[in-house]
Amino acid sequence: MRFQLCSLLLIPICSTSVLADLLAPSYEAPVDIASNKSLVAAAWRNATASLQTYISDGNEGAASNAVAAMKNITFSVGMFSLEDPAASKMQFHYTSPEIANAPNGTHKVDGDTIYRMASVTKAFTVLAGLLELNSSHWDRPITDFVPTLAKYAKKTPGEDDPTHITEWDKVTLSALAAQIAGVPRDPFLVGEITDPAKQTSLGLPPLTADDPLSHPPCALPENYNSTNSACNEIPSLESIQNRPPALLPWTSPAYANTGFVLLGVAIANITGKPLTEVYRESIFEPLGMASSNASTPPKSEWHRSVIPDLAAFDINTGILVSSGGLLSTTNDMAKFGVGILNSTLLPDDETRKWLKPVSHTAHLEYSIGRPWEIMRYTHSSGVVTDIYTKLGDSGAYSGFIVLLPDYNAGFSILSGSTSIQRFSVVTEIAEVVTSFIVPALAAQASKEAEKKFAGVYNSTVPGLESSLALSVNQTEGAAPGLVVSSWISNGTDVLAALPPSLGPGPYRLVLSISDSESGTEAFRLVTSLDAPIPPSAEVPKGLFTSMSYLAADWILLDSPTYGGIGVSLFVFKIGSDGNAEEVRPEAFRVSLKRTC
């Protein structure tokens, strides 16, 4: 018989727990971000209303010092989405009194206002390296590309005294990009305790002339082009080379501006081009980022620049450009974010590889990539969304680029202020936007998946009793994915007969591979582990004995098989209207047409 009870699709399914440990989105990325009907647009309005409330009433019972200080910080926040270009118009801008009355620069910020982005630059530097270098470069040591360090490493082998001498010939470009090279955190004078009063309060002894680290080349004024420029390249390298390492390479991630200074030098030496030219030719021009710069823009552009402190804006970052010297706008940052998510510059597989962790930190919700700071957001269902970020904070500027690959979306924050609370405010803004937008993206994706896939699919072969019923569980905290409400094959209840190795039901379909050119989308059957557990049942809780380990989706995927095809594989054919027309449970060699 054919399955025709479409009303069953509206019945909510109770959920008590969830196991969804495939590192992949549960649904396709939502395509409606900005319309009035979008849950994301509604969440954006709520997020920006919260920010406006903090600005207007921040000092009245503020939840934190950052909230109270928000009205003193100039900032711009902008969304972007690969699926919905209109999302880039979702922006929020606030001009503090400091900038409204500044002697230089703009007095009102918008999407075309230029900010320095500080260490957000590092994401551009790694992308430039991925575009300009070949794969073999990344696993070679920095000494292969920076002669100054090569000479030092040859003369002073780090193996002789690894606690005091950095083993430069073991520091690879890949380790530098992933902040796991163990190199000194900052170049000379960055973070240096130069205040005599502070030195005295800490009980630090006077530095002597025979101390090999106390008077490096960058301590000499002749090694600077001007009073507002970075130390020149060779003296900078010579001031870095004999400093002790923070860690041995590939020990633990540790934030290191020095690593990106060296990565930038290597890219310039390998390409034979100034790094400022590399940024322009490989990233800015291809992505149409006409307002982005690798050096202080000409004075003709200052009228649309945030300049809280002229000395922090009009600087020659020199060798430090690759660590934190770029400038951009909210509109250009949207182009950058979409360019990454769209693999506009990199091949698809290289982008996927780039947007993966390299190492963990000691915090369960925080991993590190190249150069990503990856926040692990846990939904009420227990599903995890990895948020790829790069922060920036230097001089008078702070910011973020935030990518949500699971949803092909993200946002940027750029800010400028002389306030010492600037970065705390920016992190609070990021928290507000994330708390509203990420759940809304998940809900919108679920809503669109219900329209596209949910329903009943029946065999069109006469006499063949095969059908599939799919629903989307909208209950708060429910496992995301297309719930398999019923599955009949040749008159057999498949759900009741599935092998125990697949784990308990209810079962769901989650997206695995989408091929827009052929109009097909593959899903995989996974377990929810949200069936009620009898009170007397002994549920393993340990690391090795828990169900998360014994019945994990990543272990069970594509097993068992029949005729060489995983029983878990379902392939949908998408019609011209964008909705599913039919589905093939591939191992069962049958096509089921969507009938309601």
Side-chain angles (χ1 to χ4, degrees):
M1 67 177 183
R2 293 192 177 190
F3 194 94
Q4 295 287 358
L5 300 179
C6 296
S7 61
L8 286 179
L9 302 177
L10 302 178
I11 299 175
I13 301 171
C14 296
S15 176
T16 57
S17 61
V18 59
L19 173 70
D21 65 351
L22 293 180
L23 191 64
S26 301
Y27 304 110
E28 291 180 295
V31 299
D32 182 8
I33 302 295
S35 82
N36 289 333
K37 296 180 180 179
S38 173
L39 300 175
V40 183
W44 176 257
R45 291 190 292 271
N46 290 335
T48 55
S50 293
L51 295 177
Q52 187 60 60
T53 299
Y54 292 161
I55 291 167
S56 302
D57 307 321
N59 287 329
E60 300 177 11
S64 68
N65 290 334
V67 169
M70 196 171 292
K71 66 181 181 180
N72 301 321
I73 310 298
T74 294
F75 64 91
S76 295
V77 189
M79 283 282 297
F80 52 83
S81 165
L82 173 60
E83 309 299 334
D84 187 353
S88 63
K89 302 299 181 183
M90 297 164 64
Q91 299 181 4
F92 182 87
H93 305 279
Y94 171 69
T95 307
S96 69
E98 178 185 38
I99 294 302
N101 299 294
N104 298 288
T106 187
H107 294 151
K108 185 175 176 60
V109 296
D110 58 27
D112 290 318
T113 299
I114 298 170
Y115 293 81
R116 285 195 171 275
M117 67 172 77
S119 286
V120 178
T121 296
K122 293 175 172 66
F124 288 79
T125 300
V126 175
L127 178 56
L130 292 172
L131 294 169
E132 295 287 336
L133 310 184
N134 63 50
S135 58
S136 66
H137 288 125
W138 290 97
D139 291 323
R140 291 169 59 185
I142 188 68
T143 49
D144 283 2
F145 312 112
V146 180
T148 301
L149 293 182
K151 293 176 183 176
Y152 177 81
K154 185 176 181 180
K155 182 178 64 175
T156 315
E159 293 89 341
D160 293 348
D161 186 4
T163 59
H164 294 99
I165 302 171
T166 300
E167 299 179 64
W168 294 111
D169 55 352
K170 291 182 173 60
V171 172
T172 64
L173 302 193
S174 182
L176 292 171
Q179 307 197 72
I180 198 168
V183 297
R185 185 187 190 278
D186 294 310
F188 179 74
L189 286 183
V190 179
E192 184 80 1
I193 301 173
T194 56
D195 180 12
K198 186 68 173 177
Q199 293 170 356
T200 301
S201 68
L202 290 172
L204 292 169
L207 294 172
T208 61
D210 59 352
D211 187 324
L213 291 172
S214 64
H215 297 286
C218 281
L220 302 174
E222 59 263 31
N223 287 322
Y224 295 80
N225 292 329
S226 68
T227 57
N228 205 22
S229 67
C231 183
N232 293 331
E233 180 173 313
I234 298 301
S236 290
L237 296 172
E238 292 174 342
S239 297
I240 292 170
Q241 63 187 9
N242 61 340
R243 294 179 58 198
L247 296 163
L248 294 178
W250 299 102
T251 299
S252 168
Y255 199 90
N257 290 307
T258 299
F260 290 90
V261 170
L262 297 176
L263 183 58
V265 173
I267 293 171
N269 288 348
I270 292 168
T271 61
K273 296 184 290 188
L275 200 56
T276 53
E277 186 177 321
V278 173
Y279 290 125
R280 178 173 54 81
E281 292 182 353
S282 67
I283 301 175
F284 296 158
E285 289 181 352
L287 294 181
M289 299 175 66
S291 295
S292 298
N293 300 278
S295 57
T296 304
K299 289 190 175 181
S300 60
E301 295 294 319
W302 287 19
H303 71 282
R304 62 186 184 102
S305 302
V306 171
I307 309 178
D309 175 15
L310 186 59
F313 177 76
D314 187 19
I315 55 177
N316 175 8
T317 55
I319 192 175
L320 304 180
V321 65
S322 54
S323 179
L326 301 188
L327 305 93
S328 193
T329 67
T330 299
N331 286 334
D332 272 9
M333 292 298 282
K335 294 175 182 177
F336 179 66
V338 170
I340 293 174
L341 296 170
N342 190 46
S343 295
T344 303
L345 304 179
L346 287 173
D348 290 346
D349 61 324
E350 287 297 314
T351 298
R352 291 194 297 271
K353 180 179 179 181
W354 187 26
L355 296 177
K356 285 291 180 288
V358 173
S359 178
H360 300 299
T361 68
H363 196 296
L364 289 175
E365 296 179 340
Y366 192 7
S367 299
I368 302 297
R370 297 184 298 166
W372 308 112
E373 294 127 12
I374 307 163
M375 312 293 182
R376 312 212 74 196
Y377 180 97
T378 303
H379 296 262
S380 59
S381 64
V383 169
V384 172
T385 292
D386 282 350
I387 305 176
Y388 283 72
T389 78
K390 185 67 203 78
L391 64 82
D393 181 53
S394 180
Y397 302 90
S398 300
F400 275 99
I401 181 71
V402 178
L403 299 176
L404 296 156
D406 283 1
Y407 304 108
N408 279 343
F411 62 91
S412 68
I413 305 172
L414 297 171
S415 77
S417 173
T418 57
S419 170
I420 60 173
Q421 293 180 297
R422 180 190 61 252
F423 186 63
S424 295
V425 169
V426 169
T427 58
E428 185 67 38
I429 294 167
E431 198 72 50
V432 169
V433 175
T434 298
S435 65
F436 279 100
I437 292 300
V438 175
L441 285 165
Q444 182 66 27
S446 172
K447 175 184 172 183
E448 294 181 11
E450 185 167 37
K451 178 177 184 294
K452 185 170 183 177
F453 296 104
V456 175
Y457 299 76
N458 282 294
S459 170
T460 58
V461 178
L464 181 61
E465 296 181 13
S466 293
S467 63
L468 181 74
L470 301 176
S471 60
V472 173
N473 187 0
Q474 302 289 1
T475 306
E476 176 67 24
L482 301 170
V483 178
V484 182
S485 306
S486 173
W487 183 10
I488 306 298
S489 177
N490 200 22
T492 299
D493 184 349
V494 180
L495 294 180
L498 285 173
S501 62
L502 284 178
Y507 297 98
R508 301 169 295 123
L509 299 182
V510 296
L511 182 66
S512 58
I513 300 173
S514 179
D515 181 9
S516 58
E517 291 188 8
S518 67
T520 59
E521 297 183 18
F523 283 67
R524 288 288 179 163
L525 186 76
V526 299
T527 183
S528 295
L529 279 189
D530 60 358
I533 298 171
S536 60
E538 292 186 7
V539 182
K541 299 295 185 183
L543 285 174
F544 294 95
T545 57
S546 71
M547 293 301 290
S548 296
Y549 185 74
L550 298 176
D553 293 338
W554 74 270
I555 292 176
L556 302 173
L557 196 69
D558 203 36
S559 176
T561 61
Y562 178 69
I565 300 176
V567 171
S568 64
L569 177 59
F570 291 71
V571 177
F572 290 85
K573 180 180 179 182
I574 309 302
S576 58
D577 63 352
N579 295 319
E581 291 183 338
E582 64 180 66
V583 61
R584 281 183 58 85
E586 292 289 350
F588 294 77
R589 273 72 173 182
V590 63
S591 292
L592 306 176
K593 185 177 178 61
R594 190 177 187 181
T595 54
C596 67

